[in-house]
Structures are given as structure tokens and as C-alpha cells.
């Protein structure tokens, strides 16, 4: 077989094996604002051939308001409670790639739901990369009151030890999305979480 054809075959069998190994479970992307969860998640879902859902968009649809409006009108606690419910609903209704908001995985119940119904992938990124990316848009209420870099650094210190509980860690950086997607696919392919025959978490 020619090299190109062999490569295509290998890729197709990697994709099929990931899809089968997942069964009804989801791939759940976690990480700080600006880590690329939505953009990379969408591409990853397309590559595997399963649906993509962005939890923040679903929260906005459920509330009929933007995230900024929810924070401004009802406060963060209200947002977090809606976030937890929406993620639980999504993770118990079929396999998909799910991009979560940066604070979602900090909730203990959500971490349990993710562990029960999904494989978690932390898109880990350096502070400068994140700050550069979030500065392009003004849609993140947590970054509105103060210096975005200092706020991101504080969130990083608080959250990275918890994000570290994720099943898989991939470095998000200024590289083509396809490169990061390929790294996630390789990590999933080699993961014992996907090789158990009954699609449950490996003991
Ligand atoms: C938040 C991250 C946001 C959104 C909300 C709160 C956070 O999502 O859920 O503004 O606590 O880090 P992204 O991580 O998709 O920006």
C-alpha cells in the first residue's frame, strides 16, 4: 500500500476506535477562558463524527440571556447553578464533544458527572497565550473588574490544581487547531479509559 493510503487508513481506524470506545460517553473539554475549548472542540467533534455542544451557549439559550446579562442581573451563584444543571442534562443525554466554561469543572458535582459520563481533556495554556486571546473580546464578566492578566493569574493559581484531575492533558498553544486536535486524538486512542470493552471507566 502507498504511504498516503496507509496513513489515511490508520487515521480512519484511529477515529473508529475512539468513537467505539466512547460509546455513549462524551469528551469534555475543560480549561481557562481563552484555552480554545470551543474552537478545538468543534473541530474535534467533526473529526470524530459526533455532535459538538458548547455549554455556555446552551446556558444562554436556556436563560434567554447572554452570560454577561446573567451575571449582571442575577449574579455568579445563579449562573453557576444553571451551569451545573445544563452540563448534567447534556452529559446524560448522549455522547458528544462538550466545551465547558472555565469555572464549570471547579464544581465538585460537575466533576463527578463528568467522570461518570465522559472523558475529560484539559486544554492547558500559558498565561500570556490566554491573556492575548481573551483581550480580543469583551464578553467575559469575570475579567471586567480589574486587570485581566492579574485576574487570569489568580484563576490559574486556584484552578490549575483542580483541572489537573482531568483524564487527559494537552498543551494549548499558538499552533494550528488541527495539531492540537491530532494530539487529543492520539491521547484518546492510547487511553485505557477507552479500551474497556463495556465502555465503562477502566477500574
Ligand atoms: C467563566 C468562563 C466563561 C463563562 C463565564 C465564566 C469562568 O467561559 O462560562 O464567563 O468562570 O472562567 P469560557 O471559559 O468559555 O470563556
Amino acid at each position: 500500500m502507498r504511504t498516503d493510503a496507509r496513513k489515511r487508513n490508520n487515521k480512519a481506524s484511529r477515529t473508529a476506535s475512539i468513537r467505539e470506545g466512547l460509546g455513549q460517553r462524551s469528551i469534555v473539554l475543560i480549561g481557562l477562558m481563552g484555552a480554545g475549548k470551543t474552537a478545538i472542540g468543534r473541530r474535534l467533534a467533526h473529526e470524530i463524527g459526533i455532535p459538538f455542544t458548547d455549554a455556555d451557549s446552551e446556558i444562554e439559550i436556556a436563560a434567554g440571556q447572554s452570560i454577561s446579562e446573567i451575571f449582571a442581573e442575577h449574579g455568579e451563584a445563579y449562573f453557576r447553578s444553571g451551569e451545573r444543571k445544563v452540563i448534567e442534562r447534556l452529559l446524560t443525554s448522549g455522547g458528544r464533544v462538550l466545551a465547558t466554561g472555565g469555572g464549570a469543572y471547579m464544581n465538585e458535582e460537575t466533576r463527578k458527572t463528568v467522570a461518570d459520563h465522559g472523558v475529560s481533556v484539559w486544554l492547558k495554556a500559558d498565561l500570556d497565550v490566554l491573556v492575548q486571546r481573551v483581550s480580543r473580546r469583551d464578553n467575559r464578566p469575570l475579567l471586567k473588574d480589574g486587570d485581566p492578566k492579574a485576574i487570569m493569574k489568580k484563576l490559574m493559581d486556584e484552578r490549575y490544581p483542580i483541572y489537573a484531575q482531568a483524564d487527559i492533558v494537552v498543551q494549548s498553544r499558538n499552533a494550528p487547531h488541527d495539531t492540537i486536535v491530532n494530539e487529543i486524538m492520539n491521547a484518546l486512542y492510547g487511553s485505557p479509559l477507552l479500551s474497556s470493552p463495556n465502555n465503562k471507566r477502566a477500574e
Side-chain angles (χ1 to χ4, degrees):
M1 207 188 296
R2 302 252 321 268
T3 319
D4 283 357
R6 190 176 298 130
K7 264 193 197 157
R8 268 200 304 278
N9 248 358
N10 287 346
K11 239 182 130 183
S13 79
R14 181 183 70 169
T15 304
S17 132
I18 291 171
R19 211 172 29 229
E20 252 170 59
L22 277 171
Q24 284 304 298
R25 289 178 302 163
S26 296
I27 298 170
V28 184
L29 297 181
I30 66 164
L32 270 185
M33 297 172 263
K37 292 162 293 187
T38 302
I40 289 170
R42 189 166 281 134
R43 228 179 180 100
L44 178 66
H46 177 77
E47 192 72 25
I48 303 177
I50 57 176
F52 169 77
T53 310
D54 182 79
D56 279 346
S57 302
E58 291 290 318
I59 296 165
E60 291 182 328
I61 291 167
Q65 288 183 307
S66 70
I67 303 281
S68 296
E69 285 166 347
I70 301 172
F71 266 75
E73 252 181 58
H74 307 282
E76 182 172 352
Y78 180 90
F79 169 76
R80 295 298 173 201
S81 154
E83 179 176 52
R84 185 188 55 70
K85 287 184 206 147
V86 165
I87 291 175
E88 179 168 16
R89 168 171 62 80
L90 293 169
L91 288 179
T92 50
S93 54
R96 66 189 79 230
V97 174
L98 179 67
T100 61
Y105 197 69
M106 297 304 289
N107 180 287
E108 197 179 342
E109 272 179 69
T110 295
R111 284 203 296 283
K112 167 121 187 23
T113 310
V114 170
D116 287 347
H117 301 280
V119 177
S120 45
V121 178
W122 173 20
L123 288 181
K124 186 176 185 181
D126 292 340
L127 183 61
D128 287 340
V129 171
L130 295 171
V131 172
Q132 182 207 343
R133 290 187 190 160
V134 296
S135 67
R136 291 184 203 137
R137 289 182 69 188
D138 181 26
N139 61 342
R140 290 175 166 112
L142 290 185
L143 300 178
K144 280 186 179 147
D145 298 321
D147 168 34
K149 187 167 185 176
I151 297 170
M152 285 293 255
K153 171 77 175 74
K154 185 165 175 282
L155 289 174
M156 208 170 206
D157 291 344
E158 285 165 9
R159 293 179 176 180
Y160 274 23
I162 304 289
Y163 290 168
Q165 295 177 29
D167 298 313
I168 288 168
V169 184
V170 167
Q171 191 73 31
S172 176
R173 53 202 187 273
N174 288 332
H177 287 159
D178 283 348
T179 305
I180 314 281
V181 167
N182 193 41
E183 287 178 16
I184 297 174
M185 301 275 283
N186 278 340
L188 287 166
Y189 189 46
S191 166
L193 288 170
L194 258 61
S195 58
S196 62
N198 56 1
N199 286 335
K200 292 228 173 81
R201 290 172 76 79
E203 301 301 328

